Amino acid sequence: MKCVELADQFGIEHLRLTERPHPELKFGEVLIRVRATSLNYRDLMTVTGVYNPKQPLPLIPLSDGVGEVVAVGDGVTRVAVGDRVAGIFAQGWTAGEPAVEKVRTTTLGGPLDGMLTEYRALSQEGVVKVPDYLNDEEAATLPCAALTAWSALIAHGQLKPGDTVLVQGTGGVSIFALQFAKAAGARVIITSGSDEKLERAKALGADEVINYRQAPDWDKAVREMTAGRGVDHVVEVGGTGTLAKSIRSVRFGGHISLIGVLSGRTGEIDIAPVLMQNIRVQGIIVGSREMFEAMNRALEQNRIRPVVDKIFALDEARQAFGLMAQGGHFGKICIRID
Ligand SMILES: NC(=O)c1ccc[n+]([C@@H]2O[C@H](COP(=O)([O-])OP(=O)(O)OC[C@H]3O[C@@H](n4cnc5c(N)ncnc54)[C@H](OP(=O)(O)O)[C@@H]3O)[C@@H](O)[C@H]2O)c1
């Protein structure tokens, strides 16, 4: 079967299209003919060796992929041949609280081989049926980016109609956060480094926009937009470069989802306002299969369409990663496997 792997060194330039033996099914496994995959920033960090420099190679990248079940092993009852499924991000986290043994060693696209391959055998416990109304590329965006936004705002954030949400940037997680927040009846303030992307965010329902390059003190703008009160939720993808401003943007008793590290992961932060203002800071690690299934019910009900910006072919994997590295996208980047 064809697949793309990171052969023996980290770096986008070391991704190569290659052949591997067809997977053999073990008890309880299903064989997926993967049709579409999507990229997450974590995949870029994995390929460049930033995420886990000790990741053994070779590795098939990408946590997210969707395809048709073409064979099932003995003991499979959850899905059948012909079902369209996605692999779940952490194969070991089906329900309940996260735990180190459920998550750390079970994630696709590192440490386990991922979905950038024609065929992938996964445990029946590690797959989810995807909504029929979505095409393959749209469905392939769900396992990491969509579920992270859902986990942040709905599962942990308990978002309510009328709440105000601050969303940072216009990448995969952020555009899903915008869409979930609007579907839940919230007001959304979104930031971006690009006016053109902000116009696209408005077209998706963003109520107010801030260009963080033109307004580096965007926390002040957020305060003004909320009559001095601050927002109820911050979808924090920037990391230590943005966290201090996120703390200044959130209301007394508000909620910050710590999701990303786009501008750094270490640094000095004044935590006094977190205590003095009863701010809830919640670390997010994607979500469980149970949460994925709950999200799918909400997607179906609201007919939310994931925003797929660009679709590449399997032999264009380097270009797909290159686009993400430049931040040239809005929403999601996909790779189709014909
Ligand atoms: N904890 C988890 O479970 C989890 C899950 C998924 C992702 N993440 C993390 O969340 C972050 C986003 O992931 P993604 O896959 O959505 O990435 P992505 O699609 O590559 O989106 C990145 C976008 O963020 C914006 N951005 C970059 N630097 C920024 C900054 N300093 N301040 C505000 N916005 C900035 C840019 O948007 P503009 O061009 O519009 O400015 C950029 O295009 C990454 O750090 C990723 O590792 C964590």
Side-chain angles (χ1 to χ4, degrees):
M1 64 170 188
K2 276 191 237 158
C3 66
V4 170
E5 66 177 22
L6 195 56
D8 42 20
Q9 281 186 69
F10 294 111
I12 294 174
E13 67 281 16
H14 296 292
L15 289 166
R16 66 164 189 210
L17 185 60
T18 187
E19 289 278 338
R20 283 207 194 175
H22 213 74
E24 276 176 27
L25 284 184
K26 300 194 191 93
F27 185 88
E29 283 188 344
V30 303
L31 184 65
I32 303 165
R33 169 60 174 93
V34 182
R35 292 289 174 195
T37 61
S38 85
L39 274 69
N40 293 287
Y41 196 79
R42 171 182 176 270
D43 301 311
L44 175 64
M45 291 195 291
T46 300
V47 164
T48 52
V50 176
Y51 193 81
N52 176 13
K54 294 184 182 156
Q55 167 68 46
L57 301 178
L59 174 76
I60 298 177
L62 298 190
S63 59
D64 294 8
V66 157
E68 188 190 339
V69 174
V70 290
V72 296
D74 290 341
V76 170
T77 52
R78 283 192 70 244
V79 288
V81 169
D83 286 347
R84 202 168 58 126
V85 298
I88 60 171
F89 176 79
Q91 290 284 295
W93 188 15
T94 53
E97 298 285 316
V100 67
E101 67 279 7
K102 290 181 185 177
V103 177
R104 190 162 294 164
T105 57
T106 77
T107 51
L108 296 177
L112 304 182
D113 273 331
M115 301 299 284
L116 199 48
T117 173
E118 280 183 307
Y119 292 91
R120 183 74 172 91
L122 294 175
S123 162
Q124 63 167 338
E125 300 297 334
V127 300
V128 163
K129 288 180 203 167
V130 292
D132 288 340
Y133 79 95
L134 299 177
N135 65 34
D136 291 335
E137 287 79 10
E138 290 168 336
T141 66
L142 302 179
C144 180
L147 188 53
T148 298
W150 173 268
S151 176
L153 286 178
I154 310 295
H156 290 284
Q158 304 285 305
L159 179 73
K160 298 187 300 300
D163 281 357
T164 300
V165 179
L166 171 63
V167 175
Q168 294 174 349
T170 60
V173 173
S174 303
I175 293 302
F176 274 115
L178 163 64
Q179 291 177 299
F180 288 138
K182 291 312 296 176
R187 174 186 176 213
V188 174
I189 302 171
I190 191 163
T191 70
S192 173
S194 149
D195 285 341
E196 187 247 319
K197 291 182 180 180
L198 289 174
E199 284 306 313
R200 292 176 74 180
K202 274 195 209 163
L204 282 172
D207 298 278
E208 262 116 351
V209 300
I210 304 170
N211 186 318
Y212 59 74
R213 291 191 207 285
Q214 289 160 18
D217 291 337
W218 47 265
D219 51 314
K220 289 187 185 144
V222 171
R223 284 268 161 199
E224 279 164 24
M225 288 170 177
T226 53
R229 178 176 181 267
V231 297
D232 300 285
H233 305 269
V234 181
V235 177
E236 168 50 76
V237 294
T240 42
T242 50
L243 183 55
K245 287 178 186 167
S246 293
I247 292 169
R248 290 198 288 273
S249 299
V250 76
R251 72 164 163 82
F252 208 104
H255 169 239
I256 299 175
S257 305
L258 272 195
I259 297 172
V261 291
L262 290 165
S263 65
R265 50 187 280 188
T266 56
E268 230 173 74
I269 299 281
D270 179 4
I271 58 164
V274 176
L275 340 172
M276 300 303 289
Q277 295 169 35
N278 216 31
I279 294 167
R280 191 157 57 97
V281 179
Q282 173 69 55
I284 300 289
I285 176 72
V286 192
S288 66
R289 188 185 81 205
E290 192 177 48
M291 289 157 73
F292 196 159
E293 287 163 344
M295 175 184 78
N296 282 348
R297 292 192 288 276
L299 286 167
E300 296 226 19
Q301 197 61 35
N302 292 282
R303 286 291 193 264
I304 294 171
R305 294 216 88 98
V307 177
V308 176
D309 196 23
K310 186 112 208 269
I311 302 171
F312 291 87
L314 187 59
D315 60 2
E316 296 174 323
R318 289 183 191 176
Q319 289 95 311
F321 276 91
L323 180 64
M324 174 160 269
Q326 291 155 21
H329 60 296
F330 178 90
K332 295 296 296 178
I333 300 168
C334 291
I335 298 177
R336 171 125 200 118
I337 307 179
D338 287 320

